[in-house]
């Protein structure tokens, strides 16, 4: 209940964070999607205690207000929001990336075809960003990317050619690197974009404070 603000949402992920630490031994970068803020805050808090120098990368969707962008209609579900969830641990993130639906779809399908790993919108968005991190960091950097779910709920969207064509989601591969903005309210983004100045949008003087729900 009240998943956007209930602290139990974050503490429930402590066992997963400890499992990641146990299985991987050391983690340099954590990449995770952000919707309610639960798993990013819960996992990030524990891993930051274990690895103070860890870099935590949040992944959002265009049209989401979570990190200070204006609210717009969103195709992608599972990540993003039209409100400002209080479970989002803004101070935890070193950077945030916004991903467009067609970029997530292309990555989902490529991941399924090449690595036999399947999932929905969040998986595609996280995989896109984690792949970029892997290409731009040192070869021995250990990256943990959280894939929240499988493909079952997305067979009639992400993996449906007719649906994707109707929504313009088969436009081709995403660019090899994200655009970069200096702060979240610098401009409205419409493609994969990165920002390293992560703040609570309620502290931004230019924030449009729209209340709503997904």
């Amino acid at each position: 209940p009240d998943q956007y603000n209930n602290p139990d949402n974050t503490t429930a992920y402590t066992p997963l964070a400890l499992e990641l630490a146990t299985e991987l031994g050391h983690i340099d970068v954590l990449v995770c999607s952000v919707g309610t803020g639960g798993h990013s805050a819960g996992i990030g808090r524990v891993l930051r205690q274990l690895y103070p120098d860890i870099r935590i990368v949040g992944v959002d969707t265009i049209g989401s207000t979570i990190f200070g962008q204006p609210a717009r209609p969103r195709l992608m579900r599972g990540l993003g929001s039209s409100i400002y969830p209080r479970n989002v641990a803004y101070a935890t993130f070193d950077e945030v990336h916004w991903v467009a639906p067609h970029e997530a779809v292309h990555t989902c399908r490529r991941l399924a075809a090449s690595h036999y790993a399947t999932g929905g919108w969040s998986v595609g968005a996280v995989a896109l960003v984690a792949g970029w991190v892997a290409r731009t960091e040192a070869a021995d950097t250990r990256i943990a990317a959280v894939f929240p779910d499988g493909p079952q709920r997305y067979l009639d969207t992400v993996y449906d050619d007719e649906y994707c064509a109707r929504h313009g989601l088969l436009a081709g591969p995403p660019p090899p690197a994200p655009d970069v903005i200096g702060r979240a309210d610098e401009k409205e983004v419409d493609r994969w974009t990165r920002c390293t100045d992560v703040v609570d949008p309620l502290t931004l003087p230019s924030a449009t404070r729209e209340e709503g729900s997904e």
Side-chain angles (χ1 to χ4, degrees):
D2 191 20
Q3 61 180 334
Y4 294 97
N5 305 294
N6 188 336
D8 287 346
N9 186 3
T10 64
T11 56
Y13 287 97
T14 296
L16 177 55
L18 296 175
E19 181 181 354
L20 287 171
T22 299
E23 294 297 326
L24 298 179
H26 182 81
I27 301 172
D28 298 297
V29 183
L30 172 69
V31 183
C32 48
S33 59
V34 185
T36 67
H39 83 265
S40 58
I43 298 171
R45 179 179 61 241
V46 175
L47 294 186
R48 182 79 75 186
Q49 292 172 349
L50 296 173
Y51 316 115
D53 295 327
I54 192 173
R55 179 172 150 214
I56 299 180
V57 180
V59 182
D60 199 1
T61 172
I62 62 169
S64 165
T65 64
I66 292 178
F67 290 97
Q69 285 281 300
R72 298 288 183 258
R74 291 173 286 115
L75 275 180
M76 293 206 280
R77 318 308 296 172
L79 73 168
S81 180
S82 300
I83 61 174
Y84 304 112
R86 294 297 87 194
N87 273 335
V88 177
Y90 291 98
T92 296
F93 294 101
D94 294 281
E95 62 186 81
V96 60
H97 292 239
W98 294 272
V99 175
H102 71 277
E103 295 166 332
V105 164
H106 185 276
T107 308
C108 276
R109 291 174 169 223
R110 181 180 177 191
L111 191 66
S114 61
H115 289 76
Y116 307 103
T118 51
W121 303 108
S122 297
V123 171
V126 167
L128 174 65
V129 175
W132 174 81
V133 173
R135 294 193 301 273
T136 55
E137 293 291 325
D140 61 349
T141 301
R142 184 158 292 183
I143 303 163
V146 180
F147 288 2
D149 59 9
Q152 295 87 350
R153 292 187 296 164
Y154 309 98
L155 297 180
D156 58 354
T157 54
V158 172
Y159 300 99
D160 184 271
D161 288 347
E162 183 180 345
Y163 174 90
C164 289
R166 186 165 68 249
H167 292 281
L169 303 180
L170 301 176
D179 278 344
V180 178
I181 57 176
R183 51 182 283 171
D185 60 349
E186 179 179 310
K187 68 173 185 176
E188 183 173 351
V189 302
D190 59 5
R191 55 149 284 187
W192 179 20
T193 303
R194 173 185 182 228
C195 181
T196 58
D197 181 21
V198 181
V199 299
D200 185 335
L202 294 182
T203 68
L204 294 172
S206 58
T208 301
R209 304 186 180 187
E210 299 179 4
E211 291 298 328
S213 60
E214 287 198 352

